[in-house]
Amino acid sequence: MRANVASYDVVAPETLAEALTLLADEPGVWTPMAGGTDLMVLFEAGKLPTGRYLSIHGLPELRGITVDDDAVTIGALTTYSEIRDHAVINADLPMLAQAARETGALAIQNRGTLGGNIANASPAADSPPALVAYGAELTLVSAAGTRTVPYRGFHTGYKQMDLRPGELIHSIRVPRRPASEGWVHFYRKVGTRAYQAISKVCFAACARLSDGGVAEVRVGFGSVAPTVLIASALEAALTGARLDDAGLEAAVAAAARHEVAAIDDIRSTARYRTQVSENLAVAFLHALRAGG
Amino acid sequence: MAEVAVGKVAVTFTVNGVERTVETYPMARLLDVLREDLRLTGTKEGCGEGECGACSAFVDGRLVNTCLVPAIQARGAKIETIEGLASGAELHAVQQAFIDAGGAQCGICTPGMVLATVALLREHPEPTEAEVREGLAGNLCRCTGYMKIFDSVETAARAIRARQDAATAGEGGAS
Amino acid sequence: MGKYVGQSVPRKEGVDKVTGRSLYVDDIVLDGMIHGITVRSSVPRGKILGVRFDPGVPWDEFVIVTAKDIPGRNVVAMLIEDQPFLADDVIRHPDEPVLLLAHPDKHVLAEAREHVHIDVEPLPAVFAIEDALRADTVLFGDDNVFKRFDVSKGDVDAAFARDDVVIVEGTYETGAQEQMYIEPMGMIAVAAPGQGVTVWGSLQCPYYVHKALKPLFDLPAEQVRVVQTVTGGGFGGKEEYPSIIAGHAALLSWKAGGVPVKLIYDRAEDLAATTKRHPSRTRHRTAVTRDGELVAMDVDFALDGGAYATLSAVVLSRGTIHACGPYRCPNARVVARAVATNHPPHGAFRGFGAPQSIFGLERHMDKIARTLGIAPEELRRRNLLATGDTTATSQVIEEAIDLGAMLDDALSQAGWAEKKAAFAAHNADPANTVKKGMGLATFFHGSGFTGSGEVYLASVVGIEAGPGGRCTVLAASTEIGQGTNTIFSQIAADALRLPYELVEVAQPDTARVPDSGPTVASRTTMVVGRLVQDAAESLIHTLRDAGLLGADYSAEQFAAAVDAYRERFGTLRVYSKYKQPPGIVWDDKHYRGAAYAAYGWAAYIAEVEVDTLTYAARVTDFVAVQDIGTLINPLLAAGQVEGGVAQAIGWAVYEGVDWRDGHMANNQMTNYIIPTAADVPPIRVYFHSVPFKYGPSGAKGVGELPMDGPAPAILNAIEDAIGVSLNRAPALPEDIMEAMLAASSQSEAHHG
């Protein structure tokens, strides 16, 4: 272990109100910590800034999954395991279940949380592309009250997000996308191995088809830009398109290639990420044609 | 050197059914608390970053990487380690299976692998091959190539079912 | 075969391992123990100008050791004495130990290390094999060559001049590979002037550590004691580097006046600083007749030895001898060189040079087959060594081998012909984005030390009989997961005709066990196991000669005889010493003759899928057919093969070291990718057991053989799947993509 454990203070309030009060009273002092699956890795490597951490892991107000007719609402501290095993999520939001299943492996899924994954703001996280593709909304809570923001646009730059001082992610609301209403889901995590892998490219797309055309589509990429990437050009190329349009494949490929901003790093190359992004976008089109 | 100087705090939890209180730093890894404060060294460290699974233990019934759990988050938890698995001299069926089917070689991944298998068989008493592979994917082994571990899982599953069948038959006879 | 040999008896230390009771070095706490850490260089090459300690750290609380504190010689005693324990003057690689710190509170150490600065004037560094060979920058000697071997058989140049041959050329490379034992390295030491040095730790070769500590402290043998603790995997990685850690821990303890010091590497340090498999480059030029008969092989084999010579010469030797494979070829020339670079020293890893040269050869055999239009299995079949043929070192094969039958078995178990046809049809359909392929390799691996190596080692094994007739095998051969304790107990129990439970193997401790040689080179079962058998038999003779034991006896009678002997003579302990099998003649000067007393033989087949969307290759089935002589313990033997194959799958398609200025940049388990349970295919293991006359009950070595064949078989299969040739292992998705894109742009250029 490369960190000095005596240089880290951690408190663990028992209620959300207590946590929010602490955040409001001592602004900028406390860094929230959920399941620890990201922060503890940095800690081990000696790369976690020393200071004061607020463990919110035990807060009951931020846990659990509720379902209504239109949407599934997931408490920020819901674990991947709970998401992976949830029947409605598996049925209507299968990409979210798959992202949870492919994050780390079982022991990580038992500890890691969806809210923690969002707030850690890693561009390589597995759930954010699915949340982009599903058009999720975040409810944020602070001592001053709550507000709701669309997930698309929440991340504003590398490790930057629209989270105000003293604010915590409360829950994630995801509109249901049942296949019976014409929704097609396409998720592909390209990691270094089957499990215990960090994404080199992650692709999530959800489209509604009607009359041989694409009525509505949202696409998110992971690991190809400083944040989760909203694939606007790809969405524009597909929205309203006829699936039998012969030029569509080239347009999709070009849009994907154009909008990813991949880099070389320890896990892969920019060339690989760009080429695979293009391949997956085209494969998504093929899936739409097969399913449409 | 340090900008923040933190004192130790008291953390109470149960380990293998016994309530324990340790004085430790809130950020101390549960792994170190088990190994150093409680001298339960069956929980191993292979990477310190949640990758290898050698430090697996149960926290509140769920398999976790203890290297990623700060002590403060274990307050009030029910912790089960490899030391608590056997009942006295009698090995747990999974432990026996790892001996019989060759699932342990150098042994450093074995405690974690055994506990991951226990977790798997609790969830899937008759696991498919895909379930076995997925269930053990967080526990790296460099010796076995996993084949004998898969055999050990199957052997254990059979033994547990046989024991349950015997118990059910026994109950049936008594009623 | 006896009562235990040939049976899958349970692992001796199995219960301790499944209950977590086994004590590995980091599980041990000694009274008053403090913790150590290593301060390393961060540049690949340079001159040390000085060391600075930041103010604000209570340095007087720390034990600080530099090269100046070394009581003896600052050199790690190995083959060439070039590596210091602590760099004093010159830095030769980016993770070189320079200074040591110890403190009672382990939490402050890593932070303190950041406050020590080593000032270095950088010097030009060399990382690539070809750059080292060009010797524009000289790191070692006058040509950067640590060691060169030349093998010559027949007349290669005349053969290439023949007008009835086709000449096929190719270049093949392999990358570094990390052993990735799951237990990182570590040592505990107690050392003080007047008291000597004792170390406990994770290691493969107690007497290597012993040999290294004597000159470091300038102590006689009896004042140095090395004890192996339960060791969580080695694979060669714990063959040489433990000497350095033991030295460091002992230096700290020595300076601290005998306080026990624990020095455990974290994973990042273990990955960055310790030895890996040598990267290699093999050039092949082969003359072959149109119907596939090998006429001449010309091989240029080169290894990147890293910054110090360490074991490179011996690794190179094994790679050299295996470079022409198990094929009949009347003319052969191998030029082999290990060169100096500014990488951390490369070292021992399962296979020890053979996987590198076999990779080149088995990829090249497929290239020859393709060039000639002959099926790859058929090309091999036409050239496989048979009993009475000679190898490239002109060794006459006297074992009764049938490699052709093993190849046929492998083809049939793999469903080769049917699957090849089905895959060809599948791959022809452009709608199938996942392409499938099959590939094979036939190969051999010499058991034991090369040539006269075993004679020089002169290994000794003891057996001691104690109260109640309990017998203890005394050997320095270590249990590192492969089953030494169990195998030795089986062999001894049968030779003694005692129950398995009455035999145990002593913890390797140089104060108690004789030097049975290092635990390397697939020698433990075949060579040391035979010594166990000899010692056990001589113990029985001793009791008989004393008139205490009859021809037939029960365990109780044996116990009574032992008790009587002990009462009369004190201790009952006998030793056996290595005797070379007859007919082993090796000419070290010309690299000619019987390189090994015996070989393991194998035919392996890999089936792969390559996803053309992600360029990832996945092994979907694996068939491993081999002859390793008699199986002492079939379960353990199969476990060795399966583990070796999985490790080789890693080397083939997952495990790449990302070197940045000589430093491993991906030195985390999350970024150096070994296979998980979800990444390995079914590994199907079959044995053809031909007993070896001089092995214990006919056994040969097994540990390394399974590392040799999978990587070329897998890359052969990848080429079969996608029609694109990859000649470097590992073939990561990025590499496969680049090769496919290059091939498609080339074919467009052709058609355009």
Side-chain angles (χ1 to χ4, degrees), chain A:
Chain A
M1 194 173 56
R2 301 194 165 192
N4 183 354
V5 66
S7 304
Y8 297 84
D9 193 11
V10 194
V11 298
E14 299 206 347
T15 67
L16 177 60
E18 225 179 296
L20 294 175
T21 304
L22 193 59
L23 288 172
D25 289 353
E26 302 182 48
V29 169
W30 298 94
T31 304
M33 176 176 195
T37 52
D38 286 310
L39 295 193
M40 292 301 284
V41 174
L42 294 176
F43 173 67
E44 159 67 29
K47 290 176 181 161
L48 184 70
T50 56
R52 303 190 193 283
Y53 289 82
L54 177 74
S55 171
I56 54 173
H57 183 254
L59 300 180
E61 297 92 332
L62 301 186
R63 297 194 81 134
I65 300 171
T66 54
V67 177
D68 61 35
D69 288 349
D70 302 324
V72 176
T73 303
I74 302 166
L77 295 180
T78 306
T79 63
Y80 298 118
S81 292
E82 290 159 338
I83 293 168
R84 182 196 66 211
D85 294 340
H86 195 273
V88 176
I89 292 177
N90 273 280
D92 290 353
L93 302 168
M95 300 196 293
L96 216 45
Q98 195 180 342
R101 158 162 278 126
E102 295 183 12
T103 297
L106 189 74
I108 296 289
Q109 292 160 18
N110 283 340
R111 201 78 196 167
T113 67
L114 184 59
N117 200 220
I118 293 170
N120 186 53
S122 163
D126 300 322
S127 302
L131 295 174
V132 163
Y134 285 141
E137 283 177 351
L138 304 184
T139 297
L140 310 175
V141 60
S142 68
T146 63
R147 64 184 177 116
T148 298
V149 299
Y151 181 64
R152 292 162 69 98
F154 178 70
H155 298 285
T156 53
Y158 180 68
K159 294 262 174 185
Q160 303 287 306
M161 62 203 124
D162 177 20
L163 200 60
R164 295 171 190 160
E167 229 171 21
L168 295 173
I169 300 172
H170 178 277
S171 54
I172 301 98
R173 184 174 185 277
V174 194
R176 295 172 70 167
R177 298 292 191 229
S180 57
E181 291 174 16
W183 291 100
V184 176
H185 311 253
F186 186 94
Y187 180 87
R188 202 63 197 269
K189 168 179 173 170
V190 182
T192 45
R193 59 186 159 198
Y195 289 91
Q196 292 294 62
I198 296 176
S199 289
K200 301 196 284 191
V201 177
C202 185
F203 180 89
C206 183
R208 189 167 54 81
L209 300 180
S210 94
D211 299 333
V214 181
E216 201 178 335
V217 61
R218 289 189 185 83
V219 184
F221 277 106
S223 295
V224 296
T227 69
V228 60
L229 181 80
I230 299 163
S232 320
L234 186 53
E235 291 173 353
L238 283 165
T239 304
R242 306 276 323 158
L243 288 174
D244 55 9
D245 176 350
L248 191 53
E249 186 160 325
V252 161
R257 179 167 284 275
H258 167 74
E259 70 188 332
V260 302
I263 57 166
D264 287 342
D265 68 9
I266 201 107
R267 297 192 190 97
S268 192
T269 63
R271 277 171 61 82
Y272 176 84
R273 290 178 159 121
T274 306
Q275 183 65 47
V276 171
S277 297
E278 178 185 325
N279 293 355
L280 293 178
V282 172
F284 170 52
L285 174 61
H286 292 167
L288 288 178
R289 283 177 175 157

Side-chain angles (χ1 to χ4, degrees), chain C residues 365-454:
Chain C
M365 288 297 280
D366 263 35
K367 183 170 189 180
I368 295 170
R370 219 168 31 256
T371 306
L372 299 176
I374 298 176
E377 68 277 22
E378 187 51 36
L379 176 72
R380 287 173 174 83
R381 198 193 314 279
R382 289 178 193 176
N383 292 286
L384 287 172
L385 282 175
T387 308
D389 288 338
T390 59
T391 66
T393 64
S394 304
Q395 175 173 9
V396 179
I397 296 299
E398 288 168 6
E399 300 177 60
I401 51 160
D402 191 348
L403 204 41
M406 292 167 64
L407 175 59
D408 289 341
D409 191 13
L411 294 169
S412 133
Q413 295 292 354
W416 176 268
E418 310 81 58
K419 278 188 172 168
K420 283 275 256 191
F423 291 174
H426 169 95
N427 294 342
D429 182 349
N432 292 324
T433 54
V434 173
K435 306 297 184 189
K436 301 180 181 195
M438 307 265 281
L440 69 95
T442 45
F443 56 100
F444 65 170
H445 194 97
S447 301
F449 263 41
T450 304
S452 355
E454 292 293 347

Side-chain angles (χ1 to χ4, degrees), chain C residues 94-402:
Chain C
D95 297 280
E96 181 147 21
V98 178
L99 185 139
L100 306 165
L101 300 174
H103 194 278
D105 179 0
K106 75 172 187 179
H107 297 304
V108 306
L109 278 167
E111 207 175 352
R113 175 166 61 181
E114 299 301 311
H115 293 278
V116 182
H117 307 282
I118 300 157
D119 294 324
V120 178
E121 179 191 332
L123 292 167
V126 177
F127 304 114
I129 288 174
E130 300 308 333
D131 291 343
L133 283 171
R134 249 196 321 277
D136 296 336
T137 300
V138 176
L139 307 174
F140 180 88
D142 51 16
D143 59 0
N144 288 332
V145 175
F146 282 132
K147 189 72 184 180
R148 173 178 171 137
F149 293 114
D150 290 273
V151 171
S152 179
K153 178 189 185 188
D155 187 339
V156 171
D157 295 322
F160 275 101
R162 273 167 54 169
D163 56 9
D164 64 335
V165 297
V166 178
I167 295 173
V168 183
E169 297 183 52
T171 300
Y172 308 90
E173 293 177 9
T174 62
Q177 186 187 19
E178 163 58 30
Q179 294 87 358
M180 200 65 104
Y181 31 76
I182 306 293
E183 180 209 20
M185 290 208 228
M187 289 279 168
I188 297 173
V190 176
Q195 293 169 31
V197 173
T198 302
V199 296
W200 295 262
S202 180
L203 56 92
Q204 286 179 232
C205 309
Y207 276 96
Y208 278 5
V209 178
H210 193 259
K211 180 183 173 186
L213 292 178
K214 284 183 291 178
L216 176 65
F217 289 92
D218 191 22
L219 287 174
E222 64 276 11
Q223 285 196 41
V224 175
R225 181 180 165 207
V226 179
V227 186
Q228 185 221 8
T229 51
V230 179
T231 296
F235 315 109
K238 294 173 183 173
E239 176 170 350
E240 51 188 305
Y241 206 89
S243 297
I244 294 180
I245 308 175
H248 289 169
L251 285 169
L252 283 165
S253 178
W254 186 273
K255 183 141 186 208
V259 172
V261 173
K262 182 188 263 190
L263 180 48
I264 306 287
Y265 282 6
D266 66 13
R267 181 59 64 181
E269 181 168 25
D270 193 300
L271 288 175
T274 75
T275 56
K276 296 178 177 44
R277 181 184 304 289
H278 290 71
S280 77
R281 184 272 289 141
T282 311
R283 281 204 199 104
H284 274 274
R285 195 164 154 261
T286 307
V288 58
T289 66
R290 282 176 205 292
D291 51 8
E293 183 192 332
L294 295 173
V295 175
M297 301 171 87
D298 193 1
V299 186
D300 178 332
F301 178 57
L303 293 178
D304 170 359
Y308 294 105
T310 64
L311 291 167
S312 287
V314 215
V315 173
L316 183 72
S317 160
R318 192 171 276 270
T320 305
I321 292 166
H322 289 78
C324 296
Y327 303 114
R328 192 185 322 112
C329 184
N331 307 291
R333 176 167 57 211
V334 183
V335 175
R337 287 166 293 180
V339 300
T341 67
N342 294 107
H343 287 128
H346 295 297
F349 189 166
R350 192 181 215 159
F352 212 68
Q356 288 95 319
S357 63
I358 289 172
F359 173 80
L361 176 62
E362 287 302 300
R363 282 294 291 136
H364 191 61
M365 288 297 280
D366 263 35
K367 183 170 189 180
I368 295 170
R370 219 168 31 256
T371 306
L372 299 176
I374 298 176
E377 68 277 22
E378 187 51 36
L379 176 72
R380 287 173 174 83
R381 198 193 314 279
R382 289 178 193 176
N383 292 286
L384 287 172
L385 282 175
T387 308
D389 288 338
T390 59
T391 66
T393 64
S394 304
Q395 175 173 9
V396 179
I397 296 299
E398 288 168 6
E399 300 177 60
I401 51 160
D402 191 348

Side-chain angles (χ1 to χ4, degrees), chain C residues 18-87:
Chain C
V18 301
T19 53
R21 286 203 290 263
S22 291
L23 292 179
Y24 299 76
V25 61
D26 198 22
D27 302 335
I28 295 167
V29 175
L30 300 183
D31 281 346
M33 193 174 76
I34 65 173
H35 301 271
I37 203 167
T38 313
V39 184
R40 298 174 185 279
S41 58
S42 53
V43 298
R45 184 163 176 244
K47 189 156 174 37
I48 299 177
L49 301 174
V51 177
R52 284 178 294 119
F53 294 83
D54 284 342
V57 178
W59 291 113
D60 56 342
E61 293 176 6
F62 290 80
V63 182
I64 301 173
V65 166
T66 69
K68 310 274 179 292
D69 296 302
I70 291 174
R73 292 174 55 221
N74 184 13
V75 61
V76 186
M78 253 287 147
L79 303 171
I80 301 176
E81 299 196 337
D82 62 342
Q83 181 170 213
F85 275 91
L86 292 169

Side-chain angles (χ1 to χ4, degrees), chain B residues 36 44 105-106 133 142, chain C residues 17 24 27 106 655 680:
Chain B
E36 292 169 11
K44 304 297 183 188
Q105 286 193 21
C106 84
R133 286 170 176 272
R142 191 60 154 170
Chain C
K17 283 180 171 170
Y24 299 76
D27 302 335
K106 75 172 187 179
E655 301 179 28
V680 291

Side-chain angles (χ1 to χ4, degrees), chain B residues 82 91 95-96 98-99 104 110-111 114, chain C residues 14-20:
Chain B
I82 189 69
L91 297 180
Q95 291 172 313
Q96 189 61 51
F98 270 71
I99 295 175
T110 306
V114 163
Chain C
V15 171
D16 286 343
K17 283 180 171 170
V18 301
T19 53

